[in-house]
Amino acid sequence: MTEAALTTSNGILTFLYDFNHAAITRNCDGLTHADSLFVPPNGGNCANWVLGHILANRSFILELVKEQPLWGEADGELYSMNSKPLDRARARPFESMLADLELTQERLRRGLENLSAKELDLKHEEGATRPRGAQLHFMHFHEAYHAGQLGLLRRMAGKPGAI
């Protein structure tokens, strides 16, 4: 597949990220901070880590759409891909992370609205492996994967399915 075949539009990306936002929000609705710290019995991360990981990745996504990231590198340290199991005492309050999700969504929508088709077709930095639009699609897929995890963790926390 050529890079030209990866051309996308900011309208499609806005739709996809809005869909993720709705899934994440529904899957987190009614979860308490204590619920968010439930660790699955056979291993895996808790909902607090998953949501924090989504937000940490949204910092990069916001850079891709030329918006100011909400979290700095230190903010997302506990939630990075290769982080140690989440220290419950250092976990961010779940409710504040949900508020941060709303802020990132506003910035993401604004950034996508302001990107031109040409900017989506160009690499966001020297050495990038794919054009900005393709990178945004990949990050959407990554976020959708974790949105699904939140649905499973919601059920494990004893809440009814939300989607």
Side-chain angles (χ1 to χ4, degrees):
M1 184 178 300
T2 67
E3 286 183 11
L6 296 174
T7 301
T8 189
S9 76
N10 50 6
I12 291 169
L13 286 163
T14 299
F15 170 80
L16 292 171
Y17 279 100
D18 282 350
F19 197 88
N20 274 3
H21 177 259
I24 294 164
T25 302
R26 286 181 185 160
N27 283 331
C28 292
D29 185 44
L31 290 179
T32 65
H33 180 70
D35 292 334
S36 82
L37 296 174
F38 170 80
V39 177
N42 294 323
N45 290 305
C46 63
N48 188 288
W49 185 90
V50 174
L51 182 58
H53 184 67
I54 288 169
L55 288 165
N57 279 285
R58 279 201 168 199
S59 293
F60 175 60
I61 294 166
L62 288 170
E63 289 175 13
L64 286 172
V65 299
K66 301 182 176 186
E67 284 288 327
Q68 182 68 38
L70 190 62
W71 285 14
E73 193 173 319
D75 296 312
E77 184 180 17
L78 291 174
Y79 302 98
S80 68
M81 183 171 53
N82 296 318
S83 62
K84 295 177 182 177
L86 186 63
D87 177 357
R88 296 169 68 102
R90 293 182 57 209
R92 286 177 165 262
F94 198 65
E95 297 78 14
S96 74
M97 288 197 299
L98 289 170
D100 287 352
L101 179 69
E102 295 305 313
L103 291 172
T104 63
Q105 187 67 17
E106 290 171 19
R107 291 180 188 184
L108 176 55
R109 292 186 106 256
R110 183 176 57 232
L112 286 169
E113 183 178 306
N114 292 325
L115 280 179
S116 69
K118 182 177 180 174
E119 289 173 307
L120 287 169
D121 286 340
L122 298 173
K123 293 181 179 177
H124 67 283
E125 65 183 12
E126 190 175 322
T129 58
R130 55 180 72 96
R132 183 186 313 260
Q135 185 65 39
L136 285 163
H137 273 288
F138 172 78
M139 295 305 293
H140 163 264
F141 166 78
H142 175 255
E143 187 173 278
Y145 172 85
H146 291 300
Q149 284 182 318
L150 287 169
L152 295 172
L153 290 163
R154 172 186 182 76
R155 299 296 289 260
M156 287 182 205
K159 306 290 185 198
I163 297 177

